[in-house]
Amino acid sequence: MELKNRLGKEIIIFDGAMGTVLQMRGLKAGELPEILNIEKSKEIVDIHKSYLEAGAEILTTNTFGANTLKMDETDYSVEEIIRAAVSNARRAVDESSVDALVALDIGPLGELLEPMGSLTFDEAYQLFKQQVKIGEEAGADLIHIETIADLYEAKAAVLAAEENSDLPVFCTMTFEENGRTFTGGSIRSMISVLEGLGVDALGLNCSLGPEKLKPLAEEVLKYSEIPVIMQANAGLPVVEDGETVFKISPEEYFKPLAELYQKGLAVVGGCCGTDKNFISIIAENLKNKKVKSRRIIKESTVCSPSQYVNLASINVVGERINPTGKPVFKNALKNSDLDYIFKVAVEEVEAGADILDVNLGLPDIDEKEMMIRTIKELQGILDIPLQIDSSDPDVIAGALRYYNGTAVVNSVNGETAVLDKILPSVKKYGAAVIGLTMDESGIPDSSEERFKIAEKIVNKADEYGIKRGKIIIDCLTLTASAQQEGVKETLKAIKRVKEELGVNTTLGISNVSFGLPARSVLNRTFLSMALFQGLNLPIIDPNDREMMASIKAAAVLNNIDQGAVQYIEYMAKNKDNVAPEKKEILESEELGDKVDDLKMVIIKGLKNAAGPLTEKILKEKEALEVVNEYLIPALDIVGDSYEQGEIFLPQLVQSAETVKEAFAVIKQKMAHSGGRNIAKGKIAVATVKGDVHDIGKNIVKIVLENYGYQIIDLGRNVQTEEIVRTVKENEIKLIGLSALMTTTVKNMEKTIKAVRKETPDCRIMVGGAVLTSDYADMIEADFYAKDAKEAVKIAQKVFAEIN
Amino acid sequence: MEFKIDRSEVLMYLQTSKDLKDKNIIQLISQASAEVKDLIDFRYLYKKFPIEISQKGIKLLNTTLTLKGKSIKKHLKKSPEIYLMAVTLGVQIDKKISLYDKTSVTKAVIFDACATAAVEEGCDKVEAEIKRKAFNDGYKDITFRYSPGYGDLSIEVQKELLRILNAPKKIGLTVSKYNMLQPNKSVTAVIGMLTEKTESDGEFSFEKRHCRQCNLYNDCQLRRKGNYCGTKK
């Protein structure tokens, strides 16, 4: 059977369940069905044959869980299992003398990927890669990735399939009735990412019966531009006499499928609870039938697993994750202090950004490493789609690989060399791309010349197979005070590229007003003019409420925000004009707290009052004086009260965060004035490999920071190698390791050994839920810190000895 | 399923006094409780198994699983049948904790405690459901929830336990190589069916029954303050 010729033109029929049939034949709960490929191969061949007899045209191998993580529990290797499985399916086909294909079945790995779990993207990729390579060698005809609930895992599997084989790739995911996967992924995001990665067919399987999956399948059929697969369960399982049974009849099962066939379904088969009778009825009715044509809504989107943005609409790109002209940001980047970035990102999201631009370009850092790390962290805490802002093709390719979703790339320009270096990654990962209308000779003056560059970019992107909807042209803002006549050229060019090239547009706004008074008036007016010309993606500071309001208003007036829904929502949310921090201070005052005494503010933990008050005091006092006269004494009082049992952990932490706010202001002042560094010493902290919970470590970190130590926070689930490398590169003298589980203390021990070997003069303190002082001795740590206060004492001791 | 998230439970997990007066913290607890309620994607599973007690441990019939250890044997010595249960609050809770971890440790600590209170509340509800079924089946009582990691019942059984319930596929509950449940705010437990009513215990015998088996018995701050974790109602 020629799959590629038939896919999407004629219905293709998959087989039904393997696991259910094996359970009916006596598979025990907890047994791994994959080993039966070897131990009961005849039985497996018989089941395959029964599906061929019923009319299946593609057999899925009995390899759902045949990955190293699961097979390590058996006496067989992944290689033995997959080879046996493919050969069983092949034998069934040969002995039945029918024209059918063998699909290598790949199910989820069974562990959650980072950031929710401890399995890294690369580890997942390697596990899938092994299955794909063996499967192709063993003679599978296609790769069928199924029952995936996490879009990131689907991405790892699809990349592994595409990069390590030439076989067609199918991918189906499993959704709940609410249209979300267990991890919160949406159907639109699945379509965006899988289509972008270039799978041959996509769709839904498992979780529900066909009746309940029908509305979800309809959504897929509405938006997917590639053939759609459905493999539903035989309804919801019911427990009868302690046994799980599926109660739906084949006829009931087929009814919704017949309707979906009319709507354009291309590939159909069964999942849990189905057997040959279900496949028979599908084959009797649909075999060799033409796939019905369907009306597809073609929207170009970028997305995270749970949120998507239609690029053709009007959306705000937040511009603030960018170190240019920001000394505090630069310092934070140099010190790998990502907390600063997170804070900025969260503010932008709360202010209403739809996409976040992430620019980490700074000469003296490893931009690629920093970009990948930041992207992984940001996608772990926020749902907003990201825009990767870099000029380095390598940084872009790395970021696109690890991004969990469909990203925007910012940017290419009209230079052929740039286009040829960056567009292949854009295509490979299905990203959208911003093209700047400039080239080797700079920014042309006239709109005609800029249009020509845009045209060149679009043609190049066409050559690489990138869709028009995913191209975003930036006609570039000029400064009115320097090139007044140029401003209109930008506006003219926007309209032309949109109308004649059918692409979307973006524009940074605020440059227009540089060097003139009342900049916000110029900015807003220019923004309105650009929006009128058809601007889709203004890049602004979303905290600028007037700009945001103008954008919301333009979306109403351009008939994009229909019924003014978003406009009304935004205005309702922002009608009260007081900034949120001010509001909390006011509330505190209303509640009767004094907010003019910094020590009192710290003791009471009034986080939002600390910044402004510190600023006020800094006008009269030196930074170090503020630390010694206010922060440290207040901290001591808080620490003592905690030890006395007068206050409790949440209060201690609250005070620590308040001090952190005060410190942030002090740091900002010193970054601007270039004053002396007041850090007492550098300490690295990490939660060891396997542990994904790091609240304890973060408490220790913030309290150490309060006492003036500079902390390099490696985060959670950190590999030994990374810890050793950091200790070496930063000449760390004290490291704090945290572990939560008895099983991960082993990794802590391993890390201690490695640190000892590579950097013998680095002292090690340990802490965490399961640790005791005996345990700490046993794994040969230098110190056991039972809590944050203890960690401070240890740090004071260690650095006193050094200095 | 409706969740209450009782403030006194949250304060217990925060290890504060029961009548904490700090109005900031109290306000943060109300906010976090509301957020937790909003983000919970509560899913659960349970299934009954006949068991066989042998030298090796507690064998769950028709499955591959044998629960090993003295403590679980003692726990189930009078039970002809048991229920395995698994509950999870879903990944959105974990994601929000991560967000607060990066932006406000105070909120992270409080949100985490609210989520722990919620998962225990969820377990109580599932346990009550199991209890009703047990009574319908003619049992007179059930044991308390016993989870992998208590006593000498190794947490290494998590993987097999989840597989037997088909939990990864059905409720999205998995376990890492290091035996950590993922999503984090999840619980698995074993409940034994009893043919006779057990007498209720006082405070002290509670400690004797549960805490003595715990690895952290000597270092436990909660116990010293007269509070108890997990299994206490």
Side-chain angles (χ1 to χ4, degrees):
Chain A
M1 179 169 99
E2 271 299 316
L3 183 64
K4 292 230 165 169
N5 292 340
R6 273 188 67 195
L7 182 60
K9 297 184 186 90
E10 272 176 41
I11 283 280
I12 295 174
I13 300 169
F14 259 90
D15 54 8
M18 175 63 77
T20 315
V21 178
L22 288 172
Q23 271 158 26
M24 287 190 306
R25 294 181 180 215
L27 185 77
K28 270 197 226 165
E31 254 177 346
L32 293 167
E34 292 81 7
I35 59 174
L36 300 183
N37 286 310
I38 294 170
E39 294 182 353
K40 287 187 178 166
S41 86
K42 186 174 174 306
E43 196 157 346
I44 302 294
V45 174
D46 285 347
I47 296 171
H48 283 319
K49 279 185 182 168
S50 74
Y51 281 125
L52 290 174
E53 225 170 277
E57 296 159 297
I58 298 182
L59 290 179
T60 41
T61 55
N62 178 27
T63 51
F64 183 80
N67 58 69
T68 299
L69 290 182
K70 287 186 189 159
M71 293 306 107
D72 271 357
E73 292 174 52
T74 71
D75 299 332
Y76 304 101
S77 68
V78 172
E79 168 131 33
E80 288 168 316
I81 297 280
I82 292 181
R83 284 194 179 275
V86 173
S87 122
N88 289 338
R90 184 64 68 199
R91 209 174 110 201
V93 173
D94 291 346
E95 289 177 7
S96 305
S97 320
V98 291
D99 184 17
L101 299 177
V102 173
L104 175 73
D105 189 58
I106 296 182
L109 296 169
E111 281 189 30
L112 281 187
L113 261 69
E114 58 183 348
M116 295 168 289
S118 47
L119 196 68
T120 66
F121 184 81
D122 289 334
E123 286 168 339
Y125 174 87
Q126 291 301 333
L127 289 163
F128 287 127
K129 178 180 166 181
Q130 184 190 23
Q131 297 179 69
V132 166
K133 290 190 89 155
I134 298 168
E136 184 173 34
E137 273 170 34
D141 301 307
L142 68 146
I143 312 280
H144 185 56
I145 300 159
E146 55 138 328
T147 323
I148 309 284
D150 176 6
L151 193 56
Y152 209 29
E153 188 172 1
K155 180 172 178 173
V158 169
L159 280 175
E162 288 177 347
E163 292 176 351
N164 298 286
S165 87
D166 296 321
L167 301 177
V169 179
F170 288 8
C171 183
T172 59
M173 292 184 67
T174 181
F175 289 84
E176 298 297 288
E177 222 173 326
N178 63 5
R180 296 275 167 175
T181 69
F182 285 137
T183 58
S186 73
I187 286 178
R188 296 298 303 275
S189 297
M190 168 184 80
I191 297 171
S192 177
V193 169
L194 295 182
E195 251 183 37
L197 290 172
V199 300
D200 297 279
L202 60 77
L204 313 175
N205 80 307
C206 207
S207 73
L208 302 164
E211 189 59 44
K212 295 231 160 129
L213 268 188
K214 204 178 116 202
L216 309 185
E218 281 165 353
E219 192 180 345
V220 182
L221 288 165
K222 202 159 139 191
Y223 293 102
S224 170
E225 296 183 31
I226 61 174
V228 175
I229 312 168
M230 176 147 122
Q231 294 166 297
N233 284 352
L236 279 180
V238 194
V239 178
E240 273 184 0
D241 303 325
E243 292 303 314
T244 306
V245 290
F246 291 88
K247 305 253 320 188
I248 192 176
S249 72
E251 290 72 24
E252 285 170 280
Y253 183 84
F254 181 69
K255 215 176 131 246
L257 293 183
E259 291 167 33
L260 288 169
Y261 162 70
Q262 295 298 336
K263 294 189 172 176
L265 198 64
V267 181
V268 58
C271 201
C272 304
T274 62
D275 59 21
K276 61 180 182 197
N277 300 321
F278 291 76
I279 302 305
S280 280
I281 194 166
I282 295 172
E284 279 161 24
N285 288 282
L286 297 181
K287 195 157 190 173
N288 296 328
K289 286 215 172 164
K290 288 231 162 349
V291 172
K292 297 277 181 190
S293 67
R294 58 192 160 101
R295 186 171 297 157
I296 300 164
I297 300 175
K298 295 184 177 176
E299 276 183 8
S300 287
T301 56
V302 291
C303 68
S304 71
S306 59
Q307 275 181 17
Y308 74 95
V309 163
N310 178 2
L311 294 172
S313 176
I314 296 179
N315 288 290
V316 174
V317 181
E319 66 180 6
R320 291 192 53 229
I321 305 181
N322 189 327
T324 314
K326 296 174 193 144
V328 181
F329 199 138
K330 285 181 185 165
N331 274 347
L333 268 185
K334 280 181 203 154
N335 296 329
S336 305
D337 173 11
L338 296 187
D339 289 359
Y340 182 84
I341 297 173
F342 302 143
K343 205 175 149 206
V344 173
V346 170
E347 276 170 19
E348 287 192 278
V349 171
E350 280 171 2
D354 300 298
I355 296 174
L356 286 192
D357 186 271
V358 181
N359 181 319
L360 305 172
L362 201 62
D364 26 357
I365 64 162
D366 181 344
E367 188 187 348
K368 186 178 175 186
E369 197 218 316
M370 189 57 90
M371 180 64 92
I372 291 173
R373 200 172 146 210
T374 306
I375 285 197
K376 280 187 170 188
E377 296 276 10
L378 284 175
Q379 68 197 15
I381 58 174
L382 297 172
D383 293 322
I384 189 170
L386 301 180
Q387 173 163 307
I388 293 146
D389 187 352
S390 174
S391 53
D392 183 338
D394 203 30
V395 173
I396 291 171
L400 287 176
R401 186 169 191 85
Y402 293 100
Y403 181 57
N404 185 7
T406 306
V408 185
V409 169
N410 185 12
S411 57
V412 296
N413 58 43
E415 288 180 53
T416 308
V418 170
L419 289 165
D420 283 332
K421 270 185 198 148
I422 294 175
L423 292 182
S425 309
V426 171
K427 169 63 186 166
K428 177 177 176 183
Y429 295 104
V433 62
I434 293 178
L436 311 181
T437 51
M438 59 184 280
D439 56 19
E440 298 88 337
S441 17
I443 306 174
D445 290 335
S446 70
S447 64
E448 286 76 23
E449 290 300 312
R450 285 189 224 172
F451 178 81
K452 270 189 196 152
I453 296 177
E455 206 171 22
K456 178 181 175 187
I457 294 169
V458 169
N459 288 338
K460 263 283 180 191
D462 279 348
E463 276 174 36
Y464 281 102
I466 297 164
K467 285 182 206 151
R468 287 288 169 102
K470 288 207 161 161
I471 303 168
I472 303 159
I473 295 296
D474 186 340
C475 295
L476 299 169
T477 300
L478 297 178
T479 304
S481 60
Q483 292 162 281
Q484 195 167 355
E485 70 288 354
V487 177
K488 255 170 74 185
E489 295 301 308
T490 303
L491 294 171
K492 265 198 262 172
I494 292 177
K495 189 163 184 160
R496 256 196 94 189
V497 299
K498 268 199 81 107
E499 284 176 357
E500 294 177 34
L501 299 176
V503 295
N504 294 310
T505 56
T506 187
L507 201 61
I509 302 296
S510 51
N511 260 351
V512 78
S513 61
F514 197 76
L516 287 169
R519 290 185 65 179
S520 67
V521 179
L522 284 169
N523 288 347
R524 241 185 310 148
T525 308
F526 180 59
L527 173 68
S528 299
M529 292 166 92
L531 287 167
F532 182 70
Q533 297 293 85
L535 176 63
N536 302 101
L537 296 150
I539 304 181
I540 63 163
D541 176 356
N543 294 307
D544 185 332
R545 291 195 190 177
E546 291 188 330
M547 294 276 264
M548 288 294 283
S550 294
I551 291 165
K552 301 287 170 195
V556 174
L557 301 176
N558 273 340
N559 195 29
I560 288 175
D561 177 7
Q562 300 204 339
V565 179
Q566 284 156 15
Y567 177 82
I568 292 168
E569 194 185 320
Y570 182 82
M571 292 306 158
K573 209 174 133 196
N574 292 287
K575 66 169 187 258
D576 134 29
N577 250 334
V578 186
E581 309 80 52
K582 276 249 175 69
K583 209 168 134 196
E584 273 182 46
I585 296 174
L586 289 175
E587 276 170 10
S588 297
E589 279 175 336
E590 277 164 25
L591 292 169
D593 286 324
K594 277 194 173 175
V595 291
D596 55 352
D597 176 348
L598 186 55
K599 267 197 267 182
M600 214 52 206
V601 161
I602 291 168
I603 291 164
K604 293 226 169 182
L606 305 173
K607 196 174 147 187
N608 293 317
L613 193 53
T614 309
E615 253 167 58
K616 214 167 102 188
I617 299 172
L618 275 172
K619 287 188 183 131
E620 289 150 26
K621 294 187 185 253
E622 287 300 310
L624 207 58
E625 285 174 332
V626 178
V627 173
N628 288 335
E629 289 172 26
Y630 295 87
L631 306 192
I632 300 290
L635 272 172
D636 285 342
I637 295 171
V638 172
D640 287 345
S641 319
Y642 177 67
E643 282 188 343
Q644 306 290 325
E646 287 157 13
I647 63 163
F648 302 95
L649 186 72
Q651 293 158 297
L652 175 83
V653 176
Q654 183 174 244
S655 291
E657 275 196 297
T658 309
V659 173
K660 191 177 175 174
E661 290 297 317
F663 255 119
V665 173
I666 293 172
K667 274 192 206 160
Q668 181 141 16
K669 193 190 169 194
M670 303 218 327
H672 284 291
S673 67
R676 193 169 65 89
N677 190 358
I678 52 167
K680 285 180 188 158
K682 252 191 254 176
I683 303 172
V685 294
T687 302
V688 298
K689 175 75 187 166
D691 266 327
V692 292
H693 221 202
D694 63 349
I695 293 183
K697 182 215 70 193
N698 289 338
I699 294 172
V700 172
K701 168 187 165 188
I702 193 169
V703 173
L704 285 169
E705 278 175 339
N706 283 180
Y707 278 86
Y709 297 98
Q710 186 197 329
I711 307 299
I712 297 180
D713 182 3
L714 293 167
R716 55 192 190 176
N717 190 28
V718 190
Q719 302 272 11
T720 295
E721 298 74 32
E722 196 187 336
I723 295 174
V724 171
R725 189 163 51 88
T726 306
V727 169
K728 265 189 179 166
E729 278 174 11
N730 297 282
E731 296 175 7
I732 299 287
K733 298 289 177 252
L734 178 62
I735 181 160
L737 298 175
S738 157
L740 205 73
M741 323 254 303
T742 43
T743 39
T744 51
V745 173
K746 291 191 183 105
N747 290 334
M748 183 181 259
E749 190 176 3
K750 205 179 118 202
T751 304
I752 292 173
K753 283 216 169 78
V755 172
R756 287 257 181 274
K757 195 171 153 234
E758 301 280 326
T759 53
D761 61 340
C762 175
R763 313 297 294 275
I764 302 160
M765 61 177 164
V766 298
V770 294
L771 281 164
T772 59
S773 50
D774 291 346
Y775 221 153
D777 287 341
M778 217 164 74
I779 58 174
E780 295 183 356
D782 295 305
F783 306 98
Y784 166 62
K786 75 169 171 30
D787 57 23
K789 198 84 211 297
E790 189 65 32
V792 171
K793 285 180 192 158
I794 293 167
Q796 284 165 343
K797 194 170 153 223
V798 169
F799 287 99
E801 280 169 15
I802 295 171
N803 296 328
Chain B
M1 197 175 275
E2 285 287 311
F3 282 80
K4 286 207 306 279
I5 308 185
D6 189 39
R7 189 200 287 167
S8 62
E9 294 283 311
V10 176
L11 290 174
M12 183 187 87
Y13 291 116
L14 287 171
Q15 304 187 24
T16 70
S17 66
K18 290 184 188 110
D19 51 352
L20 185 80
K21 292 285 187 293
D22 190 312
K23 52 185 178 287
N24 267 0
I25 302 290
I26 298 295
Q27 200 184 357
L28 286 173
I29 291 174
S30 321
Q31 282 167 6
S33 295
E35 276 183 295
V36 168
K37 284 180 205 168
D38 196 41
L39 289 172
I40 286 176
D41 183 12
F42 187 64
R43 295 168 195 281
Y44 65 96
L45 271 179
Y46 55 82
K47 201 173 170 190
K48 190 167 69 177
F49 297 91
I51 55 169
E52 194 178 270
I53 303 176
S54 72
Q55 251 345 77
K56 277 166 113 185
I58 308 281
K59 185 165 171 43
L60 278 66
L61 298 178
N62 304 319
T63 78
T64 51
L65 181 63
T66 301
L67 300 169
K68 292 172 190 156
K70 282 187 195 134
S71 59
I72 187 71
K73 258 171 118 170
K74 201 171 143 202
H75 185 70
L76 297 176
K77 67 182 177 213
K78 291 182 181 159
S79 301
E81 291 189 304
I82 61 158
Y83 273 88
L84 290 186
M85 62 179 266
V87 313
T88 179
L89 300 186
V91 294
Q92 299 309 323
I93 295 282
D94 291 359
K95 191 163 185 178
K96 197 74 176 190
I97 292 176
S98 298
L99 172 68
Y100 286 140
D101 253 339
K102 311 268 188 251
T103 53
S104 166
V105 191
T106 314
K107 284 190 182 172
V109 168
I110 291 171
F111 191 93
D112 186 78
C114 291
T116 303
V119 77
E120 288 301 327
E121 193 180 327
C123 284
D124 289 346
K125 288 176 181 172
V126 174
E127 184 181 316
E129 209 173 301
I130 289 174
K131 197 168 184 174
R132 277 198 298 277
K133 297 222 164 178
F135 283 20
N136 282 342
D137 288 346
Y139 289 110
K140 296 284 183 274
D141 204 353
I142 61 172
T143 68
F144 63 87
R145 303 194 290 270
Y146 204 95
S147 290
Y150 289 7
D152 61 354
L153 177 62
S154 165
I155 52 167
E156 313 225 330
V157 303
Q158 294 286 32
K159 195 171 191 175
E160 205 174 341
L161 199 155
L162 292 180
R163 191 157 66 219
I164 283 168
L165 291 173
N166 206 4
K169 222 174 181 175
K170 284 190 178 158
I171 59 171
L173 175 55
T174 65
V175 65
S176 78
K177 188 156 63 167
Y178 306 99
N179 301 307
M180 186 145 183
L181 291 176
Q182 295 170 340
N184 291 165
K185 293 298 173 193
S186 304
V187 170
T188 61
V190 182
I191 297 179
M193 304 297 103
L194 297 170
T195 48
E196 280 168 40
K197 183 97 193 103
T198 38
E199 281 160 41
S200 75
D201 299 301
E203 284 296 308
F204 178 69
S205 70
F206 177 89
E207 182 172 329
K208 200 166 149 190
R209 248 185 5 176
H210 300 277
C211 299
R212 288 278 164 81
Q213 302 159 350
C214 178
N215 295 329
L216 296 173
Y217 182 74
N218 287 318
D219 287 321
C220 184
Q221 298 292 324
L222 277 182
R223 190 178 57 81
R224 279 187 203 155
K225 290 176 189 159
N227 286 332
Y228 298 95
C229 70
T231 49
K232 181 78 163 81
K233 289 200 206 63

